[in-house]
Amino acid sequence: MDPSRIAPADRGPLRRLFAFARPYRGDAVLATIYSVLNKVFDVLPELLIGVAVDVVVNRQDSFLAQRGIEDPVDQLVVLVGLTVVVWVCESIFQYGHALKWRGLAQDLQHELRQAAYMHIQRLPPAFIERERSGRLMAILNEDVNQVERFLNTGANDLIQVFCSSLLVGGVFFVVTAELAVLALLPVPLILWGAFWFQTRLAPRYAAVRHAAGTVSSRLSNNLFGMATIQAYTAELFEAEHLREASEEFRIRNTDAIRFSAAITPVIRMAILAGFVATLLYGGILTLRGEIGVGSYSALVYLTQRLLWPLTRLAQMTDLYNRAMASVNRIMGLLDTPAPPRPAAQLPADGPGAVRFEDVAFGYGDDAPVVEGIDLEVPAGSTVALVGPTGAGKSTLLKLLMRYLDPDEGVIRIDGHDLALHDPASTRRRVGYVAQEPFLTDGTVAENIAYGEPAPDRSRVEKAARLAEIHGFISALPDGYDTRVGERGTRLSGGQRQRIALARAFYRDPPILVLDEATSAVDNETEAAIQRSLARAAGDRTTLVVAHRLSTVRHADEILVMDGGRIVERGTHDELVARDALYASLWRLQTGEAAEIA
C-alpha cells in the first residue's frame, strides 16, 4: 500500500480518511454529483405543488398562463408531465448515489481491513503478544464496519442537507427576502447546536470503542479457553468478568446516547420556530396580496423541506462521531511502526550454516534476556538448546527467525548478515515447528502445504509419511481432505504437532527449527517425532529447544543456557560426565535424584 495514503497523525480523522480514500476520489466525486442532482429533483415537486395551486386558484392569470399556456387543463397536463420527469430523474439519481456511496463504503471497508491486517502481519509477534487480541479483532471488524456504516448513509445525508439548505434558501429569497430571513433564522442555531454536541460526543465515543475492545477481548479469550473454564467449574466466575466488561460498555454507551438523543428534540424546537414564522408571516403576506396563494403553498412545503432534514443531524452526528472514533483507532494501528525490511533477498541455495556472533538482546529497559552469545551451527548438524525456564533459549530462535532483532551482535546464515536481508527470505529457508502449532480451519492437506495455493499432493503425502502421521490421516473420513476445525480442535495435541512437523518437512528447508515441539506430547508421539527427525535430518541444519532432554540426547552438540548465557556445551555423554547443570537436569528428569534421596 502507498504510504502516502496514511496521513500524519496530527491531522483530523476525516482528513486521514480522505487521504486513505485517494484512489477512489473519482467515485466519490461522481457519488457527490448524484447526491446533489437527486436533491435538486427532490426539491422541485414542492415548487410544482405551488404552481398547481396557482393554476387552480388563478386559472388564466396563473404563472403558467403568463408563459403562454392559457387553458387551465393544458396547464395541469404540463404539470403532470413535469412531475413525471422530475420523479423519474429523482429516482434515477437516488439509485445512482446509493449505488456509488454504498459501493465506495464496501471498497473502503475492504481496503481498510486489508491494510490493517497486512500491517499487523508486518509487526513482530511481540506486538501481538503485547496487544489484546480482542482489541485487534474489534479494530478489524467493528471499527471498520463503523466507517462503512457512515459512508453508506452519513456522507450522502451531509451533502443533501447542505444542498437542500442552499436550494430552498435560494427559492425563499427569490419569492420574499423577509420571509427567507425568518425561515432561515433557526439554521445557524441548529448547526451550532450540532457542532456543540459533536465536540462532547467525540470523547464519549472514543470511550465506547475502548470498552467494546475490552468486551471483544474477554469473549475471544474465554471462547478459546472454554474447556479450562468448564474443567475448573469457573463458568460463574468468568460470566461475572464478562458482565463487568459488558456493564462498562453499556455505561459508556448510555453516556454517549444520553447526549446524542438530546440533539433531535433541540433541533425540532428550532424547526418549529422557523415553520411557525413561515406559516404566520407568510399567511399575512398572502392575505395582503403581496405574494400569491401558490407561492405561499410552495413556501410552507419548502419550509419543511428546508428544516426537517436537519433533524437527521442527530443521526449524522452520531454516525460521524462513531466513525471518526473508529478511524482514529484504525489509523493508530497503521501508525504503529513496523521494523525496517531491506529489499535484499537471502540466497536460496546455501547449505544452511548458522552463526551467532556476540549476540545480545533485551526487552526495553529490562536486563538482557540473552547476552554474549557466540554460537556456530555447521551445515547439516543438529544442535540442541537446553536449560531452565527463562534461560533465553526461545529468544535465540526468535532472533534467528527475525521476529526480534538483536541489540548487539550479528546473526548469519551461510555468512550472510540477516539484518541486511528481507526477513521473509530468511523464513523461507527455515522450517519452524512451535510448541503450540497453529492450524488453520482447512483440510489436513492444506495445513501440511500451508501457504501454497495449489498443494502438491505427492509432496504432502511424503511429508506426512516422514512425520509418521500418514496412517492416521488415511483413516480419517475424507483422508487428506478432512477439515481439522478451528485451530485444529478436531485433532489431539500430538496429531496437531505431527501435522506441524509434516508442514516443515513439506517445505524441505535447509534449516529446521523446533521450539519445545515435544514438551506437550505423550511418550509415543515424542518417540515418533524423534524417529522423524532422525530420518529427516540428513544434511539439514537442525536447532532444537527442548525441556525433555531425552529428545536431544543424540544431538551433535548440546548447549546449556542459564541466565541468558551459554554455560556448558558438548555431547550428552560429555555433559553428564562433567556433572554440572546439565547433569543435574538429566538426573532430575530420569528420576536418579529421587532415588538417591
Side-chain angles (χ1 to χ4, degrees):
M1 191 188 70
D2 182 1
S4 66
R5 291 175 63 184
I6 309 299
D10 57 354
R11 295 190 180 181
L14 189 59
R15 293 180 68 185
R16 303 194 77 189
L17 183 61
F18 284 162
F20 187 88
R22 190 181 301 119
Y24 299 97
R25 188 171 294 169
D27 288 335
V29 169
L30 195 57
T32 300
I33 292 172
Y34 288 159
S35 293
V36 171
L37 291 174
N38 171 249
K39 180 50 61 178
V40 170
F41 286 102
D42 185 48
V43 168
L44 289 177
E46 275 68 24
L47 296 177
L48 294 177
I49 289 173
V51 175
V53 172
D54 183 51
V55 168
V56 173
V57 174
N58 295 318
R59 305 191 180 204
Q60 283 81 9
D61 297 324
S62 68
F63 174 79
L64 287 179
Q66 295 172 15
R67 297 313 183 262
I69 307 173
E70 297 181 358
D71 190 334
V73 175
D74 291 341
Q75 294 177 34
L76 292 175
V77 169
V78 169
L79 283 175
V80 168
L82 288 173
T83 300
V84 170
V85 170
V86 166
W87 280 64
V88 168
C89 289
E90 179 190 359
S91 300
I92 290 172
F93 289 119
Q94 183 172 17
Y95 173 77
H97 81 63
L99 192 67
K100 280 296 179 183
W101 281 119
R102 291 177 184 176
L104 181 61
Q106 295 304 314
D107 289 340
L108 278 180
Q109 171 190 235
H110 171 74
E111 280 227 30
L112 279 169
R113 184 175 288 115
Q114 285 297 110
Y117 178 73
M118 290 295 290
H119 188 70
I120 288 174
Q121 290 191 132
R122 288 178 56 86
L123 298 173
F127 172 81
I128 311 298
E129 295 167 5
R130 185 173 64 252
E131 290 289 329
R132 295 176 303 170
S133 61
R135 175 182 176 273
L136 297 177
M137 285 292 293
I139 291 174
L140 293 173
N141 278 322
E142 296 173 30
D143 286 322
V144 171
N145 290 340
Q146 194 67 56
V147 176
E148 182 254 345
R149 281 192 286 270
F150 169 69
L151 290 173
N152 255 340
T153 58
N156 173 69
D157 284 348
L158 284 170
I159 292 168
Q160 292 207 333
V161 165
F162 177 74
C163 290
S164 176
S165 300
L166 288 181
L167 291 170
V168 177
V171 172
F172 266 84
F173 276 102
V174 168
V175 176
T176 166
E178 295 177 7
L179 189 56
V181 171
L182 287 175
L184 294 173
L185 198 58
V187 172
L189 178 62
I190 292 171
L191 296 176
W192 176 83
F195 285 115
W196 184 87
F197 276 106
Q198 177 186 318
T199 57
R200 282 149 183 80
L201 276 172
R204 286 171 168 81
Y205 279 128
V208 168
R209 301 313 313 147
H210 178 77
T214 300
V215 172
S216 182
S217 181
R218 174 63 64 181
L219 286 170
S220 174
N221 184 69
N222 285 10
L223 290 175
F224 181 67
M226 189 56 69
T228 301
I229 292 172
Q230 293 174 346
Y232 282 86
T233 61
E235 292 91 342
L236 294 179
F237 178 77
E238 287 298 344
E240 176 61 19
H241 282 167
L242 179 61
R243 187 200 66 77
E244 290 173 358
S246 184
E247 177 69 9
E248 177 67 14
F249 177 64
R250 185 190 67 81
I251 291 171
R252 297 299 183 188
N253 237 330
T254 300
D255 184 38
I257 290 170
R258 188 179 295 114
F259 256 75
S260 64
I263 302 176
T264 298
V266 171
I267 292 176
R268 286 173 70 96
M269 293 302 100
I271 289 171
L272 176 63
F275 184 71
V276 167
T278 304
L279 196 65
L280 178 60
Y281 189 67
I284 292 172
L285 293 178
T286 305
L287 291 174
R288 292 176 182 172
E290 296 181 24
I291 61 174
V293 175
S295 297
Y296 175 60
S297 301
L299 291 176
V300 169
Y301 283 113
L302 284 173
T303 302
Q304 278 199 310
R305 178 65 68 182
L306 168 65
L307 298 176
W308 195 251
L310 294 176
T311 59
R312 295 208 306 273
L313 278 175
Q315 181 183 2
M316 284 183 268
T317 302
D318 188 71
L319 275 175
Y320 175 83
N321 280 286
R322 287 179 183 269
M324 292 308 104
S326 293
V327 168
N328 276 330
R329 282 162 56 88
I330 297 167
M331 293 302 169
L333 174 60
L334 292 174
D335 286 337
T336 304
R341 300 187 71 147
Q345 299 294 301
L346 194 70
D349 54 355
V354 176
R355 180 169 178 78
F356 290 76
E357 300 175 0
D358 198 23
V359 170
F361 174 80
Y363 293 97
D365 297 328
D366 296 337
V369 178
V370 294
E371 188 173 14
I373 301 296
D374 277 302
L375 164 62
E376 184 166 1
V377 185
S381 65
T382 298
V383 172
L385 299 171
V386 302
T389 300
K393 308 180 297 295
S394 294
T395 299
L396 279 186
L397 297 190
K398 290 178 181 178
L399 289 166
L400 175 63
M401 295 294 294
R402 295 292 310 280
Y403 297 149
L404 303 170
D405 288 322
D407 298 328
E408 299 176 10
V410 177
I411 304 173
R412 302 182 188 273
I413 291 181
D414 296 326
H416 300 284
D417 184 353
L418 299 188
L420 304 179
H421 297 81
D422 183 357
S425 66
T426 299
R427 293 163 191 163
R428 279 192 287 269
R429 302 203 57 201
V430 178
Y432 177 67
V433 183
Q435 179 179 0
E436 297 180 4
F438 166 75
L439 298 188
T440 185
D441 187 11
T443 66
V444 172
E446 289 169 345
N447 274 283
I448 292 176
Y450 184 62
E452 284 200 11
D456 183 330
R457 187 55 70 98
S458 63
R459 283 177 58 200
V460 167
E461 185 173 326
K462 179 182 177 182
R465 290 183 184 276
L466 198 55
E468 294 196 15
I469 199 170
H470 172 72
F472 163 75
I473 296 172
S474 299
L476 293 172
D478 297 315
Y480 283 87
D481 294 319
T482 302
R483 302 191 72 84
V484 302
E486 187 179 8
R487 298 189 181 95
T489 51
R490 297 179 185 175
L491 305 176
S492 71
Q495 291 159 355
R496 289 197 298 270
Q497 197 63 272
R498 278 195 267 183
I499 286 179
L501 188 62
R503 174 190 293 166
F505 292 154
Y506 179 89
R507 175 172 282 194
D508 193 23
I511 302 171
L512 187 63
V513 170
L514 291 88
D515 187 4
E516 303 283 9
T518 62
S519 65
V521 299
D522 54 41
N523 292 332
E524 180 184 352
T525 301
E526 181 188 4
I529 290 175
Q530 287 180 0
R531 292 192 299 269
S532 298
L533 290 174
R535 286 194 301 271
D539 58 356
R540 182 178 286 120
T541 306
T542 306
L543 279 83
V544 183
V545 166
H547 272 113
R548 289 186 180 182
L549 302 185
S550 58
T551 306
V552 299
R553 63 181 298 179
H554 299 298
D556 297 318
E557 186 178 29
I558 299 172
L559 306 178
V560 184
M561 296 190 66
D562 191 22
R565 292 181 175 274
I566 297 173
V567 295
E568 293 182 74
R569 58 200 320 160
T571 64
H572 170 76
D573 292 336
E574 291 170 347
L575 293 172
V576 170
R578 193 170 298 162
D579 197 25
L581 178 58
Y582 180 87
S584 66
L585 292 173
W586 176 256
R587 288 194 296 269
L588 185 65
Q589 290 191 16
T590 57
E592 292 181 23
E595 293 175 6
I596 294 172

